Amino acid sequence: MLSPLLVKPAPAGREIVNVSPERAGWTHVGFRALRLKPMESATVDTGTRELCLVVLTGTVDVTVDGISYMNLGSRKSVFEEVSPAAVYVPVGKTVTVGNVPGASTVAEVALCTAPGKGGSGTVSVIDSTAMRRSVRGKGSNTRYVCDILPHDDPRAAHLLVVEVITPAGNSSSYPPHKHDQETPPSETLLEEIYYHRLNPPQGFAFQRVYTDDRSLDETCAVEDHDVVMVPRGYHPVVAPHGYDLYYLNVMAGPNRFWVFKNDPVHEWMVDPQSSAFACSYRSA
């Protein structure tokens, strides 16, 4: 039986996956992934929600209320060491995204949404050359991060978007951490989507979502194009030997600030002063 947190993709057709707030049973995050064949397009209205459109692969043209942004995106694979093209769109806009004329390959785009703010927002192409790229962790916990729409980007109201590549054999979102309590400055509440890709695509990875009291404790075997919904709890990921893992994270909550809390029993990995480290050391 599939985990209730796991959303499987459609094997064919324009829409790969669609997770609305209603389907997820939460308030903020919405996510769609689309595959656009040559000359194919899709149109969406943002309504009361803000949108970050991420060009995962291929090249597309994006039109917002009649103004066009041409030839966005250059990646053939999400595993290239290149930041994606992305467009931020505020509330009350009509957006059309289409594979560029003359394209010979399918383009893949992500539509990441959250409640927006009223008034006259500004449509903007997010400069891929200015996206922060960083390395987190060390050893088998090393992963590579690209901040597409981080919490210190002032253009969004609630939405945060980031992509991560975890090399084969490595762990990610690790030590296990959570952000399900609105208790700043120690922790903030953010719902989260993981959109997974595997290289080679026939691979798989594992993601666990669990709370301290284990009232939620689900482990998902994720495959290419799968979505894992994280409504609360810790949510580590592991990529088996032989398969690199990419995921696109979409987060949103009542306030646009990312502060996480590590699982105390695993805090020793990053804080040698923790009581968990002392217990581990004494038992070694």
Side-chain angles (χ1 to χ4, degrees):
M1 180 180 295
L2 292 178
S3 166
L5 303 181
L6 180 63
V7 180
K8 302 296 290 184
R14 187 175 63 180
E15 187 162 87
I16 302 170
V17 69
N18 185 353
V19 181
S20 65
E22 294 76 18
R23 178 175 184 179
W26 56 34
T27 304
H28 294 90
V29 173
F31 178 79
R32 295 174 68 194
L34 305 177
R35 54 172 77 88
L36 299 174
K37 297 177 182 178
M39 302 302 293
E40 188 174 26
S41 65
T43 298
V44 297
D45 292 318
T46 59
T48 61
R49 299 178 66 79
E50 60 184 354
L51 165 70
C52 181
L53 185 154
V54 183
V55 186
L56 299 175
T57 61
T59 305
V60 301
D61 295 335
V62 177
T63 301
V64 184
D65 285 354
I67 300 175
S68 295
Y69 307 87
M70 311 297 286
N71 296 309
L72 300 179
S74 62
R75 300 192 303 196
K76 293 181 174 62
S77 167
V78 293
F79 293 93
E80 293 180 16
E81 294 183 7
V82 177
S83 300
V87 182
Y88 174 77
V89 184
V91 302
K93 303 293 183 181
T94 298
V95 183
T96 298
V97 54
N99 205 333
V100 294
S104 59
T105 59
V106 172
E108 184 177 346
V109 298
L111 306 178
C112 315
T113 68
K117 55 187 176 183
S120 55
T122 301
V123 178
S124 57
V125 175
I126 302 173
D127 183 2
S128 60
T129 64
M131 293 176 184
R132 287 196 300 262
R133 301 181 65 86
S134 60
V135 181
R136 291 182 190 163
K138 58 184 179 180
S140 62
N141 196 36
T142 302
R143 61 270 200 200
Y144 302 92
V145 180
C146 177
D147 288 310
I148 300 169
L149 190 65
H151 68 197
D152 57 356
D153 187 319
R155 76 190 85 201
H158 292 276
L159 193 58
L160 299 93
V161 183
V162 62
E163 62 179 15
V164 179
I165 293 177
T166 305
N170 283 18
S171 56
S172 195
S173 296
Y174 195 79
H177 69 262
K178 72 181 184 75
H179 36 75
D180 58 14
Q181 300 291 323
E182 190 62 24
T183 55
S186 60
E187 185 179 354
T188 54
L189 192 163
L190 293 168
E191 304 157 356
E192 187 167 16
I193 285 281
Y194 278 68
Y195 178 56
H196 291 280
R197 297 295 313 275
L198 276 299
N199 182 37
Q202 71 270 25
F204 60 92
F206 298 103
Q207 182 160 25
R208 184 185 181 195
V209 182
Y210 69 97
T211 56
D212 288 308
D213 63 4
R214 303 303 193 266
S215 60
L216 175 62
D217 193 352
E218 296 282 340
T219 300
C220 304
V222 296
E223 298 177 303
D224 200 33
H225 297 290
D226 281 356
V227 164
V228 174
M229 302 178 291
V230 183
R232 63 188 187 279
Y234 309 101
H235 40 276
V237 183
V238 176
H241 173 76
Y243 293 100
D244 295 328
L245 173 68
Y246 165 97
Y247 54 80
L248 184 73
N249 276 147
V250 185
M251 294 183 283
N255 293 297
R256 191 167 176 267
F257 192 50
W258 182 54
V259 182
F260 62 85
K261 177 185 176 183
N262 288 325
D263 186 338
V265 302
H266 302 299
E267 184 73 26
W268 63 270
M269 297 181 195
V270 292
D271 181 8
Q273 304 304 314
S274 71
S275 58
F277 177 86
C279 291
S280 175
Y281 181 79
R282 283 196 297 268
S283 65

